[in-house]
Amino acid sequence: MHGMPLGIMMKELVPDRREIPGLEWMEETSSHGAAPPRLAPDSLVYVGLRDIDKDERRFIKALGIKTYTMYDIDHLGIGQVMDRALEHLLSKNPDRPIHLSYDIDAVDPLHAPATGTAVRGGLTWREAHFVAESVAKCGSLASAEIVELNPTLSDGQGASETIDLGHQLVNALMGECIL
């Protein structure tokens, strides 16, 4: 299933990781007696969903993971969506660190064609930047990654455009802004 690395970190989806060959070490307590790390469903937010499979939809709903689809972005605007997403993540602990996994295929393939799941109707070029800028400005960004960018899946121009967008998003995540 798409997103399994994230799913493996959730006790609700994988109660005992020792049952998965090679992942037994993930259930070991630390030398200080700390429990193995897990993610709670309320510590996640998906922004820009538009094409998910049946099992993903079922798990997202069952676990109550906060989601904002492209419908929500069209209806509320990207500013309101990002305000709500960050408020959700920071409401319990305003000082918590945030990790952003930026899936480039959230962006419309008109702007990011070099990805494995190019589905029309994604984020605009400006919305894509706004997501990165707003997370950077919140002051809680601790780590980030750009995923699903694959230059071999597009022609030279499409690959260059997608790589350029990825660079720009990393710069925005690191605090580059208009002023």
Side-chain angles (χ1 to χ4, degrees):
M1 183 176 117
H2 182 76
M4 272 316 289
L6 182 65
I8 288 170
M9 294 304 294
M10 301 177 74
K11 192 169 193 97
E12 296 83 356
L13 296 179
V14 184
D16 187 354
R17 294 175 288 203
R18 290 175 294 202
E19 294 176 3
I20 302 172
L23 296 184
E24 300 85 0
W25 62 273
M26 293 182 82
E27 288 298 323
E28 297 173 4
T29 56
S30 72
S31 59
H32 305 297
R38 292 294 195 151
L39 285 175
D42 67 354
S43 69
L44 303 172
V45 177
Y46 288 116
V47 174
L49 292 180
R50 65 188 184 285
D51 185 40
I52 57 176
D53 66 38
K54 187 171 69 171
D55 286 334
E56 286 175 308
R57 183 178 289 111
R58 183 170 50 87
F59 287 130
I60 288 169
K61 286 182 177 183
L63 297 173
I65 296 172
K66 182 65 92 178
T67 61
Y68 295 97
T69 66
M70 286 307 299
Y71 172 86
D72 299 312
I73 292 170
D74 291 342
H75 180 71
L76 300 169
I78 194 64
Q80 188 66 239
V81 164
M82 289 308 298
D83 287 348
R84 290 179 182 191
L86 291 167
E87 180 181 318
H88 173 79
L89 291 172
L90 298 171
S91 63
K92 289 183 185 174
N93 178 3
D95 298 320
R96 70 163 278 193
I98 291 177
H99 171 77
L100 175 68
S101 183
Y102 203 123
D103 194 331
I104 201 77
D105 67 21
V107 181
D108 192 274
L110 178 67
H111 308 292
T115 184
T117 312
V119 178
R120 291 177 58 185
L123 297 172
T124 65
W125 188 91
R126 186 63 209 124
E127 289 168 338
H129 281 78
F130 191 92
V131 169
E133 292 165 358
S134 63
V135 174
K137 284 183 185 249
C138 85
S140 295
L141 183 64
S143 60
E145 61 185 338
I146 306 286
V147 300
E148 299 294 329
L149 194 159
N150 187 342
T152 66
L153 297 177
S154 185
D155 62 19
Q157 181 65 29
S160 293
E161 289 173 7
T162 309
I163 291 168
D164 186 47
L165 177 61
H167 284 149
Q168 291 172 26
L169 294 175
V170 169
N171 288 342
L173 289 165
M174 300 199 56
E176 185 176 285
C177 59
I178 297 168
L179 289 178

